[in-house]
Each structure stands twice: as C-alpha cells, then as structure tokens.
Amino acid sequence: MNDKTVVLNGSVVNYDGNVDYSNIASEVVVYDETPKDKILERVDGFNIVVTKEMPVPGDIIRQFPDSVKMICEAGTGFNNIDMDAVHEKGIILCNIPAYSTQRVAHTGIMFILNLASAMQKQIRMLEEGNHDNFQKHLMVDHMEVNGKTLGVIGYGNVGKEIIKIAQALDMKILVATRTPREDQDGVHFTTKEELFKQSDFVSLNCPLNDETKHTVNKDTLAMMKPTAYLINTARGGLVDEKALIQAIQNGDIAGAGLDVQEKEPLPMIVLYMIWVMSS
C-alpha cells in the first residue's frame, strides 16, 4: 500500500497522549515537532505528510520528493500551506472540514452571550467586592439577544452551526459568502457591506487567504454600529488588529471577542492595550 505516512508535528494533535496513529496508515512515523530545516529530510520516502497549523512554505514544497502524493492539514484551514506550490507539484491537499465544528461554534455563541451581558465587567465588580450591580440596580450594559441581528461572514460548517444556535436564540441572521445564494430557512444572504452596517454582532467564519486577509479593517469597522460587536473564531489575519483597537478606543464599535490573533502569542504591547480597554 502506498500510504506510508509521516506526521511532522504530532504533539499539536496528540496533546493528551490519547491518539492512536497506527489507525491512519499501514506505516506511520510521528515527530512531535519539525523545524523548517528538517522538513525535507523527514518527508523523504513518505507518501502522505500530515501537519497541524504548521507553516510549510512553497520553496520547501517545491523540493518535496516525488514519493509525496498528499499533504493532510489535520484541521480546517490551508493558510499555512503554499497552495501554488502544492498545485505545481501535483500533490493532493486535504483537510478535516468537520474538525471541532461544534466547539468553535459554541465559543462564538459564548462570546456573543458574554458580551451581551457585560460578563467580564460583572466578574471584575465581584472580584473587587462590589455588589452594587445586584443590590442596587443593573450597572452594566446588557442586551437580550433575541431579535438582534447576527451577521455571519462565511457559510461553512462552523458558520452553519453558529446560525443554528443563534436561530434557537431567536436572532435574525445575515450571511455574506463568496457563493451567491437564495435566502433560505430564515437566513438572508447579502453583501459584506450591508452585513457590517446592519448587524449587532459580526461573526467571522471564513478561511484566511489573499482575498479575505483583513476583511475587518478601518473601512469595514467604520460601517458598523457603535453598539455592535465583532466575533472572530476563525483566523487572526482576517482582522486588522490595529484598526480594531483604534475602533474600540474611539467608541466606533462596542467591543470584540477574539479566539484567534494575527500573531500568537500576542505581543505584550497589544496585551496591555486590550487590558486597558477592558478595565
């Protein structure tokens, strides 16, 4: 069988030690981590290369031996792999489109509910021993999400799951996607511009590529309501973070829930600015 497989950064997948790699091929070699200068050496003689959110640049892919027939991204995105180089080499590229769909969707909904109830402010008040929010009157911003508009950019597995849960919360749904579609099941498909203008929450659920990089930027943030929130559980590069910080500081939007950042871990200056804005 031509399924000899090498896993280049297995520790990212097998973080709890419970993955049985022997199930995926007749022969599997697993490395916990692989530095860039070791990639070519380690893929030599293998048919399938498995990575997880690991940058594999084009100059290296173009030197892959002819034995390599497939690269498998053990997640949902292709942004770490040079697509042009893969196509030039005639290598099959696949991913795991259903990977963590429910969990990521739940995280997006968690952000929506957290921001809608100013939960972080409530927690900080309690940490400070301040019970005025409960003993006097509600002293934080709060909204019921029913009847509010959720704008979803992208209509893949995670986007659809978020929509399903949001509809159960009686939210109105707008979707912007690159594939034109007719409205269906309470979902209105529209342009990105209209979505940014009309939504109370904007959820990013699309891949990161040259077309989508910095989808959220100074111009699109200026379209949003000052009461609106941005949710990103997709890829950090979808957001121009400097523009986002400026928009929040200026009160152009109400806030953001970010599960991902363009550079991870965040530089200390960005962490400090986020802390100041949330204090």
Side-chain angles (χ1 to χ4, degrees):
M1 293 180 65
N2 295 325
D3 66 347
K4 191 176 179 182
T5 299
V6 59
V7 182
L8 294 182
N9 59 336
S11 61
V12 179
V13 177
N14 194 20
Y15 56 88
D16 57 2
N18 291 323
V19 175
D20 182 1
Y21 286 107
S22 66
N23 291 321
I24 67 174
S26 59
E27 182 179 350
V28 184
V29 174
V30 181
Y31 297 97
D32 284 342
E33 297 177 357
T34 296
K36 182 179 177 180
D37 61 359
K38 291 288 186 181
I39 293 176
L40 286 176
E41 173 187 326
R42 292 182 176 181
V43 303
D44 190 26
F46 288 90
N47 309 118
I48 301 169
V49 177
V50 179
T51 64
K52 177 70 168 74
E53 298 174 0
M54 173 182 161
V56 187
D59 61 328
I60 290 180
I61 293 175
R62 291 183 177 93
Q63 299 178 65
F64 271 18
D66 292 339
S67 62
V68 176
K69 304 300 182 184
M70 175 185 289
I71 299 174
C72 177
E73 161 59 41
T76 57
F78 294 127
N79 53 290
N80 289 304
I81 298 173
D82 190 307
M83 303 281 285
D84 292 336
V86 168
H87 292 151
E88 289 173 23
K89 290 287 291 185
I91 297 172
I92 297 170
L93 179 60
C94 67
N95 67 343
I96 317 297
Y99 170 77
S100 200
T101 296
Q102 284 78 20
R103 178 59 264 169
V104 176
H106 295 171
T107 298
I109 295 297
M110 176 191 71
F111 277 131
I112 290 173
L113 295 176
N114 192 319
L115 292 167
S117 60
M119 186 58 67
Q120 295 305 310
K121 292 181 181 179
Q122 295 195 50
I123 290 172
R124 282 196 295 273
M125 290 177 71
L126 289 175
E127 288 176 343
E128 296 165 358
N130 182 349
H131 297 88
D132 289 351
N133 192 49
F134 308 97
Q135 294 176 341
K136 293 182 178 179
H137 58 83
L138 189 63
M139 307 180 99
V140 299
D141 297 331
H142 185 278
M143 72 169 78
E144 286 76 23
V145 298
N146 53 294
K148 296 299 187 290
T149 299
L150 170 63
V152 178
I153 297 180
Y155 197 59
N157 290 335
V158 175
K160 291 176 182 176
E161 188 70 17
I162 285 182
I163 289 169
K164 182 172 71 174
I165 301 170
Q167 286 182 319
L169 296 172
D170 198 26
M171 298 185 75
K172 300 174 182 177
I173 307 297
L174 298 178
V175 173
T177 180
R178 61 184 178 182
T179 305
R181 299 174 185 268
E182 297 294 327
D183 292 358
Q184 56 186 5
D185 301 325
V187 176
H188 176 56
F189 292 89
T190 186
T191 62
K192 286 182 183 178
E193 290 76 13
E194 194 64 24
L195 184 147
F196 278 111
K197 292 176 181 178
Q198 297 298 328
S199 298
D200 298 296
F201 297 88
V202 173
S203 178
L204 303 179
N205 302 106
C206 57
L208 174 62
N209 52 44
D210 291 342
E211 182 182 343
T212 62
K213 182 177 173 62
H214 288 182
T215 289
V216 176
N217 53 54
K218 180 180 179 181
D219 293 334
T220 52
L221 287 163
M223 298 177 189
M224 294 176 65
K225 302 176 183 179
T227 54
Y229 294 93
L230 174 72
I231 311 295
N232 188 11
T233 57
R235 291 290 185 268
L238 297 171
V239 178
D240 181 339
E241 291 170 352
K242 291 182 179 179
L244 175 61
I245 290 171
Q246 191 69 51
I248 295 175
Q249 288 178 327
N250 292 343
D252 297 331
I253 69 170
L258 306 177
D259 186 47
V260 288
Q261 290 81 43
E262 190 160 15
K263 184 176 181 180
E264 298 175 343
L266 280 174
M268 289 303 298
I269 183 63
V270 178
L271 285 171
Y272 174 74
M273 293 178 76
I274 291 174
W275 178 79
V276 168
M277 289 188 297
S278 63
S279 298

mmCIF file of all heavy atoms in Angstrom, residues 125-147:
data_model
loop_
_atom_site.group_PDB
_atom_site.id
_atom_site.type_symbol
_atom_site.label_atom_id
_atom_site.label_comp_id
_atom_site.label_asym_id
_atom_site.label_seq_id
_atom_site.Cartn_x
_atom_site.Cartn_y
_atom_site.Cartn_z
ATOM 1 N N MET A 125 -16.346 43.375 38.999
ATOM 2 C CA MET A 125 -17.017 44.005 40.133
ATOM 3 C C MET A 125 -17.050 43.067 41.338
ATOM 4 O O MET A 125 -16.776 43.476 42.472
ATOM 5 C CB MET A 125 -18.441 44.419 39.740
ATOM 6 C CG MET A 125 -18.503 45.586 38.767
ATOM 7 S SD MET A 125 -20.201 46.002 38.250
ATOM 8 C CE MET A 125 -20.832 46.729 39.774
ATOM 9 N N LEU A 126 -17.359 41.810 41.093
ATOM 10 C CA LEU A 126 -17.396 40.838 42.186
ATOM 11 C C LEU A 126 -16.012 40.608 42.779
ATOM 12 O O LEU A 126 -15.854 40.469 43.993
ATOM 13 C CB LEU A 126 -17.981 39.512 41.695
ATOM 14 C CG LEU A 126 -19.485 39.517 41.398
ATOM 15 C CD1 LEU A 126 -19.903 38.181 40.796
ATOM 16 C CD2 LEU A 126 -20.289 39.794 42.663
ATOM 17 N N GLU A 127 -14.994 40.554 41.910
ATOM 18 C CA GLU A 127 -13.624 40.376 42.398
ATOM 19 C C GLU A 127 -13.207 41.522 43.312
ATOM 20 O O GLU A 127 -12.425 41.330 44.247
ATOM 21 C CB GLU A 127 -12.657 40.280 41.212
ATOM 22 C CG GLU A 127 -12.755 38.964 40.442
ATOM 23 C CD GLU A 127 -11.861 38.954 39.216
ATOM 24 O OE1 GLU A 127 -11.428 40.050 38.782
ATOM 25 O OE2 GLU A 127 -11.593 37.863 38.689
ATOM 26 N N GLU A 128 -13.738 42.710 43.038
ATOM 27 C CA GLU A 128 -13.428 43.894 43.848
ATOM 28 C C GLU A 128 -14.333 44.009 45.077
ATOM 29 O O GLU A 128 -14.222 44.961 45.845
ATOM 30 C CB GLU A 128 -13.560 45.152 42.986
ATOM 31 C CG GLU A 128 -12.553 45.214 41.834
ATOM 32 C CD GLU A 128 -12.915 46.259 40.803
ATOM 33 O OE1 GLU A 128 -13.977 46.917 40.977
ATOM 34 O OE2 GLU A 128 -12.158 46.417 39.833
ATOM 35 N N GLY A 129 -15.234 43.055 45.264
ATOM 36 C CA GLY A 129 -16.161 43.094 46.393
ATOM 37 C C GLY A 129 -17.306 44.069 46.201
ATOM 38 O O GLY A 129 -17.989 44.436 47.164
ATOM 39 N N ASN A 130 -17.528 44.476 44.962
ATOM 40 C CA ASN A 130 -18.581 45.446 44.652
ATOM 41 C C ASN A 130 -19.838 44.684 44.227
ATOM 42 O O ASN A 130 -19.877 44.077 43.156
ATOM 43 C CB ASN A 130 -18.098 46.364 43.531
ATOM 44 C CG ASN A 130 -19.111 47.436 43.178
ATOM 45 O OD1 ASN A 130 -20.264 47.398 43.614
ATOM 46 N ND2 ASN A 130 -18.688 48.403 42.390
ATOM 47 N N HIS A 131 -20.883 44.735 45.070
ATOM 48 C CA HIS A 131 -22.130 44.029 44.793
ATOM 49 C C HIS A 131 -23.262 44.963 44.375
ATOM 50 O O HIS A 131 -24.420 44.561 44.353
ATOM 51 C CB HIS A 131 -22.562 43.219 46.034
ATOM 52 C CG HIS A 131 -21.597 42.143 46.406
ATOM 53 N ND1 HIS A 131 -20.525 42.369 47.252
ATOM 54 C CD2 HIS A 131 -21.514 40.832 46.032
ATOM 55 C CE1 HIS A 131 -19.840 41.256 47.414
ATOM 56 N NE2 HIS A 131 -20.408 40.302 46.666
ATOM 57 N N ASP A 132 -22.889 46.223 44.027
ATOM 58 C CA ASP A 132 -23.913 47.192 43.659
ATOM 59 C C ASP A 132 -24.739 46.723 42.468
ATOM 60 O O ASP A 132 -25.933 47.033 42.366
ATOM 61 C CB ASP A 132 -23.269 48.544 43.328
ATOM 62 C CG ASP A 132 -22.727 49.236 44.576
ATOM 63 O OD1 ASP A 132 -23.007 48.737 45.686
ATOM 64 O OD2 ASP A 132 -22.017 50.248 44.431
ATOM 65 N N ASN A 133 -24.102 46.002 41.575
ATOM 66 C CA ASN A 133 -24.788 45.543 40.375
ATOM 67 C C ASN A 133 -25.991 44.663 40.710
ATOM 68 O O ASN A 133 -26.935 44.568 39.929
ATOM 69 C CB ASN A 133 -23.796 44.778 39.490
ATOM 70 C CG ASN A 133 -24.330 44.507 38.108
ATOM 71 O OD1 ASN A 133 -24.839 45.406 37.443
ATOM 72 N ND2 ASN A 133 -24.249 43.272 37.673
ATOM 73 N N PHE A 134 -25.946 44.031 41.887
ATOM 74 C CA PHE A 134 -27.009 43.116 42.295
ATOM 75 C C PHE A 134 -27.878 43.709 43.398
ATOM 76 O O PHE A 134 -29.080 43.437 43.486
ATOM 77 C CB PHE A 134 -26.398 41.798 42.774
ATOM 78 C CG PHE A 134 -25.437 41.198 41.784
ATOM 79 C CD1 PHE A 134 -24.075 41.402 41.903
ATOM 80 C CD2 PHE A 134 -25.908 40.466 40.696
ATOM 81 C CE1 PHE A 134 -23.194 40.858 40.977
ATOM 82 C CE2 PHE A 134 -25.033 39.926 39.771
ATOM 83 C CZ PHE A 134 -23.671 40.121 39.906
ATOM 84 N N GLN A 135 -27.292 44.549 44.254
ATOM 85 C CA GLN A 135 -28.028 45.066 45.402
ATOM 86 C C GLN A 135 -28.754 46.379 45.102
ATOM 87 O O GLN A 135 -29.720 46.721 45.782
ATOM 88 C CB GLN A 135 -27.057 45.273 46.574
ATOM 89 C CG GLN A 135 -26.475 43.957 47.079
ATOM 90 C CD GLN A 135 -25.434 44.172 48.175
ATOM 91 O OE1 GLN A 135 -24.894 45.267 48.330
ATOM 92 N NE2 GLN A 135 -25.152 43.127 48.939
ATOM 93 N N LYS A 136 -28.305 47.120 44.101
ATOM 94 C CA LYS A 136 -28.929 48.399 43.782
ATOM 95 C C LYS A 136 -29.719 48.282 42.476
ATOM 96 O O LYS A 136 -30.930 48.164 42.480
ATOM 97 C CB LYS A 136 -27.868 49.501 43.689
ATOM 98 C CG LYS A 136 -27.205 49.792 45.035
ATOM 99 C CD LYS A 136 -26.203 50.922 44.933
ATOM 100 C CE LYS A 136 -25.576 51.229 46.295
ATOM 101 N NZ LYS A 136 -24.566 52.332 46.212
ATOM 102 N N HIS A 137 -28.974 48.276 41.366
ATOM 103 C CA HIS A 137 -29.628 48.118 40.060
ATOM 104 C C HIS A 137 -28.572 47.657 39.081
ATOM 105 O O HIS A 137 -27.370 47.677 39.374
ATOM 106 C CB HIS A 137 -30.270 49.434 39.584
ATOM 107 C CG HIS A 137 -29.294 50.571 39.479
ATOM 108 N ND1 HIS A 137 -28.489 50.762 38.371
ATOM 109 C CD2 HIS A 137 -28.983 51.553 40.365
ATOM 110 C CE1 HIS A 137 -27.736 51.829 38.565
ATOM 111 N NE2 HIS A 137 -28.009 52.335 39.759
ATOM 112 N N LEU A 138 -29.004 47.227 37.921
ATOM 113 C CA LEU A 138 -28.070 46.741 36.912
ATOM 114 C C LEU A 138 -27.180 47.892 36.458
ATOM 115 O O LEU A 138 -27.663 48.882 35.905
ATOM 116 C CB LEU A 138 -28.834 46.154 35.725
ATOM 117 C CG LEU A 138 -27.985 45.405 34.692
ATOM 118 C CD1 LEU A 138 -27.331 44.177 35.320
ATOM 119 C CD2 LEU A 138 -28.850 44.974 33.504
ATOM 120 N N MET A 139 -25.878 47.770 36.692
ATOM 121 C CA MET A 139 -24.950 48.868 36.438
ATOM 122 C C MET A 139 -24.021 48.598 35.259
ATOM 123 O O MET A 139 -23.030 49.302 35.060
ATOM 124 C CB MET A 139 -24.124 49.143 37.697
ATOM 125 C CG MET A 139 -24.989 49.368 38.935
ATOM 126 S SD MET A 139 -24.047 49.695 40.423
ATOM 127 C CE MET A 139 -24.174 51.481 40.492
ATOM 128 N N VAL A 140 -24.334 47.596 34.477
ATOM 129 C CA VAL A 140 -23.520 47.295 33.306
ATOM 130 C C VAL A 140 -24.423 47.253 32.075
ATOM 131 O O VAL A 140 -25.637 47.105 32.183
ATOM 132 C CB VAL A 140 -22.784 45.937 33.448
ATOM 133 C CG1 VAL A 140 -21.847 45.953 34.646
ATOM 134 C CG2 VAL A 140 -23.777 44.787 33.572
ATOM 135 N N ASP A 141 -23.799 47.401 30.927
ATOM 136 C CA ASP A 141 -24.560 47.278 29.684
ATOM 137 C C ASP A 141 -25.099 45.860 29.558
ATOM 138 O O ASP A 141 -24.432 44.881 29.906
ATOM 139 C CB ASP A 141 -23.665 47.588 28.482
ATOM 140 C CG ASP A 141 -23.152 49.014 28.493
ATOM 141 O OD1 ASP A 141 -23.855 49.880 29.049
ATOM 142 O OD2 ASP A 141 -22.056 49.261 27.961
ATOM 143 N N HIS A 142 -26.314 45.749 29.058
ATOM 144 C CA HIS A 142 -26.918 44.425 28.938
ATOM 145 C C HIS A 142 -27.954 44.462 27.817
ATOM 146 O O HIS A 142 -28.683 45.430 27.665
ATOM 147 C CB HIS A 142 -27.588 44.015 30.259
ATOM 148 C CG HIS A 142 -28.128 42.629 30.244
ATOM 149 N ND1 HIS A 142 -29.349 42.300 29.697
ATOM 150 C CD2 HIS A 142 -27.610 41.467 30.708
ATOM 151 C CE1 HIS A 142 -29.558 41.004 29.825
ATOM 152 N NE2 HIS A 142 -28.521 40.477 30.425
ATOM 153 N N MET A 143 -27.967 43.390 27.023
ATOM 154 C CA MET A 143 -28.997 43.304 25.985
ATOM 155 C C MET A 143 -29.487 41.875 25.879
ATOM 156 O O MET A 143 -28.735 40.928 26.136
ATOM 157 C CB MET A 143 -28.450 43.769 24.626
ATOM 158 C CG MET A 143 -27.473 42.797 23.977
ATOM 159 S SD MET A 143 -27.101 43.201 22.253
ATOM 160 C CE MET A 143 -25.937 44.534 22.458
ATOM 161 N N GLU A 144 -30.758 41.719 25.546
ATOM 162 C CA GLU A 144 -31.277 40.411 25.186
ATOM 163 C C GLU A 144 -30.934 40.174 23.723
ATOM 164 O O GLU A 144 -31.128 41.058 22.891
ATOM 165 C CB GLU A 144 -32.793 40.338 25.393
ATOM 166 C CG GLU A 144 -33.225 40.252 26.847
ATOM 167 C CD GLU A 144 -33.118 41.580 27.584
ATOM 168 O OE1 GLU A 144 -33.139 42.632 26.911
ATOM 169 O OE2 GLU A 144 -33.012 41.559 28.823
ATOM 170 N N VAL A 145 -30.428 38.996 23.402
ATOM 171 C CA VAL A 145 -30.006 38.761 22.020
ATOM 172 C C VAL A 145 -31.170 38.411 21.102
ATOM 173 O O VAL A 145 -31.041 38.497 19.876
ATOM 174 C CB VAL A 145 -28.928 37.652 21.944
ATOM 175 C CG1 VAL A 145 -27.686 38.073 22.715
ATOM 176 C CG2 VAL A 145 -29.452 36.313 22.431
ATOM 177 N N ASN A 146 -32.302 38.010 21.689
ATOM 178 C CA ASN A 146 -33.445 37.712 20.821
ATOM 179 C C ASN A 146 -33.867 38.971 20.067
ATOM 180 O O ASN A 146 -33.988 40.054 20.638
ATOM 181 C CB ASN A 146 -34.617 37.147 21.633
ATOM 182 C CG ASN A 146 -34.994 38.025 22.796
ATOM 183 O OD1 ASN A 146 -34.212 38.185 23.738
ATOM 184 N ND2 ASN A 146 -36.181 38.600 22.741
ATOM 185 N N GLY A 147 -34.065 38.824 18.771
ATOM 186 C CA GLY A 147 -34.415 39.955 17.935
ATOM 187 C C GLY A 147 -33.235 40.730 17.399
ATOM 188 O O GLY A 147 -33.396 41.570 16.501
#
